[in-house]
Amino acid sequence: MAKKWVYLFGELDQAQKYVGGDWQNALGLLGGKGANLAEMTRIGLPVPPGLTVTSEACNAYLANGNKFPEGMWDQELEALHTIEGLAGKKFGDSANPLLVSCRSGAKFSMPGMMDTVLNIGLTDATVEGLAKLTENPRFAWDAYRRLIQGFGAVVLDIPDEAFEEALDAAKKQAGAKEDVDLTAGQLKALAGEYRKIVQKHKGFDFPQNPLEQLSLATEAVFRSWNGRKAVSYRRHEEIPDNLGTAVNIVTMVFGNMGSTSGTGVAFTRNPSTGEKGVWGEYLINAQGEDVVAGIRTPKKVATMADELPEAYKQFLEICAILEKHYKNMQDIEFTIERGRLWMLQTRNGKRTSAAEIKIAVDMVGENLIDRKTALTRVTPAQVNTLLHPQFDANAKKAAQAAGKFLAKGVNASPGAAVGQVYFDADLCEAKAKEGQAVIMVRPFTKPDDVHGMIAAKGILTSEGGATSHAAVVARQFGKPCVVGASSMRIDFDARKLTSNGVVVKEGEWISVDGATGEAFVGQIPTVAAKFEEQKDLVTLLQWADGVAAEPGARSGPAGYPSRGLMVWANADYPSDARRARNFGAQGIGLCRTEHMFFEQSRLPIVQRMILAKTSEERTEALNELLPFQRSDFDGLFEAMTGLPVIIRLIDPPLHEFLPDEEALQEEVTTMKVLGKTEGLAEKETVLAAVKGLHESNPMMGLRGIRLSIVMPEIVQMQVRALFEAACDVAARGFDPHPEVMIPLTGTVKELEYIQPKLEVIAKQVMQEKGRQLDYKFGTMIEIPRAAVTAGEIARLAVFFSFGTNDLTQMTYGYSRDDAERNFLLKYVEEGILPFNPFQTIDRDGVGRLMDICIQEGRKSRPGLEVGICGEHGGDPNSIEWCHLIGNNYVSCSPFRVPVARLAAAQAAIKHAPKK
Ligand code: PEP
Ligand code: MG
């Protein structure tokens, strides 16, 4: 049998059979518009008779040097003949003419990107017939002149202005204010003018053969697939070029046949808020383009209840049927011709994130969908947008158009921030104290910039990547942050920044969009968000936790958790912990204790401890630090009562706590040159210590467990503080669950050396305090050697937590602080890496190590608790991987907890064991 290129709306079963039954494939073959018109026909809704020429025909036409594939045109004619029968009209018949529209429609909706021609079939002969038949010559001539205009612009590529000018001239001459004020005679004259325009531009007359009109219009729609607009839309939306568009030939129905006719577009629910109830606009006595064009102001759809009550009642019934059928909010186009309602389109409506979530939750309540469907419908990105203040989309577009674009970098932490620019942390803090909204702009940030970051509304850096200090800290505090905006130069002397030809002086306003990685000059308005007030989101995420917690959510060998992932949070301070708990965190997976050492009141003591010449001096300084640490931990345990809290022992190399070597050297030299002696000796001592601690590769140097072994006094103090705090908190009636985490282990021998010494202290403290608490000692897995020798390491470690920031750094051999600046983004651009491995786990390499690690670890210690606390713990794709390899939990910054809860449930649903 010859290939079938054309399907009537009534032939959906056949089309679906051809593509193997799958609805997505049917959408591909017939396009969204065609497939849904056919589907509405199948369920008995009023759809004007029509046919669809397939996207396969489009692809064949384009591949064939713009020639219809063999048999296609004959099939189109044959189907048209059937439509004539269904409509009771004849194409080209001057007494009873059938008119059709020719509409594009690809698999994915590309609004306004491709072509449509209305009123095909009107000629000098049929227009008279239509006038008689409708007893409405004005209507007939208006339809004809619209055809010539539409056909001229779309099919014949004549600039639309030529027609618009003629229309304006006609209105002027007639003294008409609006199009509708033109009479039949005036429109007839206008059609004549339009014909002259065609002749002048093309050298031939407007085709008087309706079949020629149809054939040329079909070709034009095919070609519009490769039009400039359509191609750039596809690039932006990542729609493949090889899909092609289908062409729909649909019997015309007219909304402009008087006061009992009309046309409109509507959503079955409010696409902005998700509120239930039909929402849209319509116009009486108008054609579709009039509603969209904004020439007349459309009315709210609800007012149809008064103007066209019968049609409105039927319309509401159809909306309900469509929602029940598609189980989703629909975006509908309709026309009423002399009181009779026709459906011209339905599709799943586009909506805001807030509407998506409300609709999903409401539809579960209405028994339209189940919880799991609701959970898969909402995307993690949508949850994310609800948690951070966002820029008003139109205002951002306007800023872009007004030339206010400043820079683009890595979208490190989502949210919108507006503030005045300051170039150093102290100034940021001071200005914030004065009540200014501040944006901190730096080349990069360091731990001693944190107070400025806390004070700032947002952060913008010219260097660094997704796991740079600025990015990690900003996410932790939920601050919008863009890093690595490399077009930006900061001139600290002149106190200004320059980027893309724009200059911003210190104190001037900018707006930073952490979701897109963009920055703009000036103040763009924002809209705010509060988690606990977002009832639908809270409900959805409770369902997510339920799904992830289902026993049997995962299959795996013995010793693996059978429930899905829990979501914990990385939090250093009690306020972070409370926020994380409010967001639904079920534990703390990482408290970076060294962050407490950087606080201004503590840093001098820490420095004294580092510079100590004797063990006594060091112990003295540590004794001063102990109460600080104890009170930090106390607050954390109290905030997380009943839930596990993992405290990581000190990790970074000590030089990070001392002043910068270069700056110090300069200071000492200047003092010497100027002969200043006061304080010189102290500075020289510090400089000597800094030099002594200098390492060529500090990230691979004396840090983590190595530091604990070389200088055990620090971690001994930390463990004491930790257990004293836990006992104190328990004495106050709370329920602390301390877990002590040792960082950067590479060999079990390291653990064997230090862990028992620390456990002794833990026991000692509990004995002193007269309390017995449940506690755990475990380790981070950050070094490939640890991952592949996990069986040995698990002999001592009761839990593992993947530090995938370091594990990625060490597996690739890419410096996490420099790679993005130097080559990594280029690697991604060139396709050498599929994505940034510091944002999303590289499953083949780093991920494989994690998998091996868990398997080896659980062989040696069945039931070993495994988590992740690197930045990947909040990334949905990485969360899916953690589900697959059998993690117990993921831990991420508090603001990413809601996203992670959804991602964990989605992983459980997607990979549910087959029953
Ligand atoms: C890690 O390496 O993934 C980690 C969580 O530790 P840090 O980022 O503090 O090195
Ligand atoms: Mg680490």
Side-chain angles (χ1 to χ4, degrees):
M1 210 181 86
K3 188 168 173 77
K4 193 161 164 61
W5 302 106
V6 175
Y7 291 86
L8 288 160
F9 289 169
E11 292 180 329
L12 182 57
D13 289 344
Q14 234 177 307
Q16 227 172 330
K17 197 166 156 210
Y18 169 70
V19 293
D22 182 72
W23 177 246
Q24 286 303 316
N25 292 344
L27 288 175
L29 182 73
L30 302 175
K33 187 184 297 247
N36 285 319
L37 282 167
E39 180 70 353
M40 285 197 287
T41 306
R42 178 154 73 180
I43 61 174
L45 298 185
V47 174
L51 63 89
T52 303
V53 187
T54 65
S55 58
E56 287 183 350
C58 170
N59 283 334
Y61 170 87
L62 295 173
N64 210 5
N66 291 1
K67 276 201 214 80
F68 288 150
E70 202 180 318
M72 186 207 99
W73 181 243
D74 288 342
Q75 289 177 26
E76 192 170 333
L77 289 180
E78 198 188 318
L80 183 69
H81 196 59
T82 311
I83 293 170
E84 288 175 333
L86 293 169
K89 297 175 182 179
K90 223 166 156 339
F91 201 54
D93 187 317
S94 57
N96 185 17
L98 170 72
L99 305 185
V100 296
S101 62
C102 178
R103 296 164 189 264
S104 58
K107 175 168 183 176
F108 302 105
S109 100
M110 297 168 51
M113 294 301 129
M114 291 182 297
D115 291 338
T116 287
V117 187
L118 303 179
N119 303 342
I120 294 172
L122 277 174
T123 60
D124 286 358
T126 56
V127 70
E128 300 288 1
L130 185 67
K132 266 200 213 115
L133 198 71
T134 57
E135 296 171 5
N136 191 342
R138 191 201 169 277
F139 158 75
W141 283 103
D142 190 40
Y144 192 27
R145 70 97 195 163
R146 284 178 193 248
L147 168 66
I148 304 170
Q149 177 167 5
F151 194 93
V154 166
V155 181
L156 304 176
D157 276 334
I158 300 168
D160 200 37
E161 295 80 60
F163 298 106
E164 285 301 324
E165 277 166 20
L167 176 62
D168 285 344
K171 282 202 286 197
K172 211 173 196 173
Q173 202 183 4
K177 249 169 80 196
E178 292 187 12
D179 299 6
V180 282
D181 299 329
L182 292 171
T183 63
Q186 286 158 346
L187 287 163
K188 183 173 178 178
L190 183 60
E193 287 304 314
Y194 279 4
R195 294 266 294 272
K196 282 188 205 148
I197 293 172
V198 173
Q199 184 74 44
K200 186 173 140 219
H201 278 82
K202 305 306 288 189
F204 54 77
D205 193 10
F206 172 76
Q208 289 299 314
N209 176 351
L211 289 177
E212 191 185 345
Q213 291 174 6
L214 184 64
S215 147
L216 289 172
T218 305
E219 285 198 65
V221 172
F222 279 164
R223 283 197 309 271
S224 69
W225 175 253
N226 282 337
R228 207 166 46 88
K229 269 191 306 186
V231 171
S232 59
Y233 184 86
R234 288 204 294 276
R235 292 280 171 286
H236 187 259
E237 296 291 303
E238 296 181 3
I239 296 173
D241 283 333
N242 62 1
L243 294 178
T245 180
V247 178
N248 302 292
I249 310 294
V250 192
T251 303
M252 285 296 302
V253 287
F254 294 96
N256 54 345
M257 291 186 87
S259 60
T260 57
S261 301
T263 188
V265 288
F267 293 85
T268 52
R269 302 186 189 219
N270 185 318
S272 168
T273 62
E275 215 65 52
K276 199 167 156 61
V278 174
W279 189 95
E281 297 177 322
Y282 80 113
L283 272 175
I284 290 280
N285 196 16
Q287 269 198 316
E289 63 208 39
D290 302 332
V291 180
V292 194
I295 303 165
R296 285 163 57 192
T297 311
K299 295 182 180 168
K300 287 207 167 76
V301 140
T303 50
M304 250 170 82
D306 303 324
E307 292 191 331
L308 297 166
E310 277 306 305
Y312 186 61
K313 191 165 154 263
Q314 192 193 358
F315 177 68
L316 290 186
E317 280 164 15
I318 290 179
C319 286
I321 292 171
L322 284 173
E323 277 212 342
K324 247 196 186 134
H325 185 73
Y326 286 99
K327 301 184 188 314
N328 209 330
M329 183 263 262
Q330 296 297 293
D331 168 358
I332 293 166
E333 286 179 19
F334 63 95
T335 282
I336 297 155
E337 183 182 289
R338 291 177 168 161
R340 185 155 177 207
L341 176 65
W342 294 98
M343 303 305 291
L344 299 185
Q345 174 168 298
T346 192
R347 60 184 174 201
N348 293 340
K350 294 213 173 11
R351 61 204 82 171
T352 63
S353 304
E356 184 80 87
I357 291 167
K358 176 163 179 51
I359 290 169
V361 171
D362 283 354
M363 284 193 165
V364 172
E366 294 160 29
N367 283 326
L368 279 177
I369 56 175
D370 61 16
R371 288 181 178 186
K372 287 185 180 166
T373 307
L375 285 165
T376 43
R377 205 169 263 181
V378 176
T379 66
Q382 285 173 322
V383 170
N384 209 7
T385 54
L386 251 63
L387 298 175
H388 299 269
Q390 305 144 42
F391 285 117
D392 180 74
N394 290 330
K396 208 171 99 174
K397 268 191 211 144
Q400 181 97 35
K404 297 197 167 166
F405 175 74
L406 180 65
K408 186 154 170 63
V410 177
N411 49 345
S413 176
V418 182
Q420 291 166 267
V421 166
Y422 290 100
F423 296 127
D424 68 67
D426 291 341
L427 203 50
C428 283
E429 191 179 50
K431 294 292 175 184
K433 275 203 185 124
E434 286 171 18
Q436 283 193 19
V438 165
I439 303 283
M440 178 156 151
V441 179
R442 300 277 311 155
F444 53 86
T445 66
K446 291 197 305 213
D448 51 9
D449 291 323
V450 169
H451 59 292
M453 300 173 78
I454 290 174
K457 296 274 182 230
I459 296 133
L460 173 64
T461 73
S462 55
E463 297 172 22
T467 62
S468 61
H469 179 267
V472 172
V473 174
R475 274 200 286 276
Q476 168 149 10
F477 294 130
K479 305 269 177 191
C481 175
V482 174
V483 296
S486 54
S487 62
M488 199 168 71
R489 297 280 167 275
I490 304 171
D491 182 339
F492 286 102
D493 295 330
R495 307 306 289 177
K496 64 174 189 187
L497 73 85
T498 317
S499 179
N500 292 312
V502 180
V503 178
V504 178
K505 293 200 207 94
E506 195 161 45
E508 287 182 347
W509 289 86
I510 65 168
S511 301
V512 175
D513 190 337
T516 61
E518 295 162 300
F520 297 86
V521 183
Q523 303 175 59
I524 300 179
T526 59
V527 266
K530 236 185 184 167
F531 180 72
E532 60 279 14
E533 286 171 10
Q534 305 188 51
K535 299 275 177 277
D536 295 307
L537 178 58
V538 169
T539 303
L540 187 84
L541 294 180
Q542 276 163 358
W543 296 344
D545 295 344
V547 166
E550 269 172 26
R554 273 194 289 213
S555 57
Y560 272 68
S562 94
R563 56 157 288 157
L565 292 166
M566 282 186 283
V567 177
W568 297 11
N570 296 353
D572 300 343
Y573 302 98
S575 58
D576 298 337
R578 278 190 289 274
R579 176 178 293 137
R581 203 166 185 167
N582 183 40
F583 280 142
Q586 293 170 280
I588 297 297
L590 173 65
C591 164
R592 289 178 166 104
T593 51
E594 62 275 4
H595 282 179
M596 302 161 177
F597 288 4
F598 283 110
E599 287 193 13
Q600 294 198 327
S601 54
R602 307 176 190 185
L603 200 56
I605 314 174
V606 175
Q607 292 179 343
R608 209 155 18 90
M609 182 268 294
I610 296 169
L611 298 173
K613 290 201 185 64
T614 61
S615 184
E616 288 76 39
E617 266 178 47
R618 173 157 302 134
T619 309
E620 201 181 302
L622 284 166
N623 283 343
E624 271 185 66
L625 281 175
L626 189 134
F628 285 119
Q629 284 261 281
R630 191 173 50 220
S631 81
D632 295 329
F633 297 146
D634 188 296
L636 264 189
F637 288 133
E638 185 177 314
M640 296 306 287
T641 182
L643 298 175
V645 175
I646 296 187
I647 309 260
R648 180 181 71 182
L649 302 179
I650 190 167
D651 182 34
L654 291 181
H655 76 84
E656 285 199 11
F657 301 102
L658 296 177
D660 177 66
E661 184 178 338
E662 248 177 72
L664 202 57
Q665 178 73 64
E666 208 179 300
E667 250 183 274
V668 166
T669 311
T670 313
M671 283 174 93
K672 279 185 176 164
V673 170
L674 297 178
K676 284 192 181 167
T677 49
E678 203 188 313
L680 179 62
E682 288 86 9
K683 287 229 177 327
E684 282 184 315
T685 311
V686 178
L687 181 60
V690 173
K691 282 188 174 163
L693 290 170
H694 174 84
E695 291 176 302
S696 303
N697 274 320
M699 276 308 227
M700 300 174 116
L702 183 61
R703 56 177 283 224
I705 193 167
R706 301 161 204 167
L707 181 62
S708 306
I709 288 170
V710 172
M711 206 182 274
E713 298 94 330
I714 305 175
V715 285
Q716 283 164 348
M717 177 278 286
Q718 289 192 302
V719 170
R720 169 161 281 280
L722 193 159
F723 279 89
E724 284 184 359
C727 290
D728 292 352
V729 165
R732 299 203 303 273
F734 297 101
D735 179 20
H737 291 263
E739 301 191 15
V740 184
M741 181 154 77
I742 298 173
L744 223 73
T745 302
T747 154
V748 71
K749 294 280 181 201
E750 291 171 311
L751 284 186
E752 281 173 357
Y753 182 90
I754 194 75
Q755 189 175 314
K757 295 188 176 70
L758 299 177
E759 292 199 46
V760 165
I761 296 176
K763 288 190 184 122
Q764 232 173 31
V765 173
M766 286 188 288
Q767 204 174 17
E768 284 164 22
K769 297 268 182 184
R771 271 190 194 272
Q772 191 51 50
L773 300 173
D774 284 338
Y775 67 91
K776 290 178 184 166
F777 272 78
T779 186
M780 294 189 73
I781 303 289
E782 301 176 276
I783 294 184
R785 193 183 186 286
V788 294
T789 60
E792 289 178 8
I793 291 181
R795 280 197 281 110
L796 270 88
V798 172
F799 67 87
F800 286 172
S801 178
F802 291 112
T804 42
N805 301 334
D806 275 311
L807 191 59
T808 302
Q809 162 168 268
M810 311 262 187
T811 302
Y812 272 103
Y814 296 167
S815 160
R816 58 191 264 194
D817 295 325
D818 309 308
E820 278 138 320
R821 175 162 49 104
N822 290 336
F823 62 88
L824 202 142
L825 298 182
K826 169 98 177 153
Y827 268 35
V828 174
E829 245 172 61
E830 297 293 335
I832 296 167
L833 291 174
F835 46 76
N836 181 345
F838 286 107
Q839 280 178 326
T840 299
I841 282 173
D842 147 51
R843 295 187 182 191
D844 298 340
V846 177
R848 178 126 190 272
L849 279 172
M850 294 165 72
D851 191 12
I852 293 168
C853 173
I854 296 186
Q855 295 193 36
E856 300 286 317
R858 289 209 175 118
K859 249 187 245 160
S860 129
R861 182 185 290 277
L864 174 78
E865 173 188 293
V866 182
I868 176 175
C869 62
E871 288 309 299
H872 305 82
D875 167 64
N877 185 296
S878 310
I879 291 171
E880 182 186 27
W881 179 248
C882 289
H883 175 93
L884 286 170
I885 60 175
N887 265 42
N888 296 82
Y889 67 87
V890 296
S891 185
C892 55
S893 60
F895 282 94
R896 293 172 96 182
V897 165
V899 167
R901 288 166 70 194
L902 178 67
Q906 289 186 338
I909 293 167
K910 185 168 164 195
H911 301 288
K914 303 249 175 325
K915 294 255 162 58

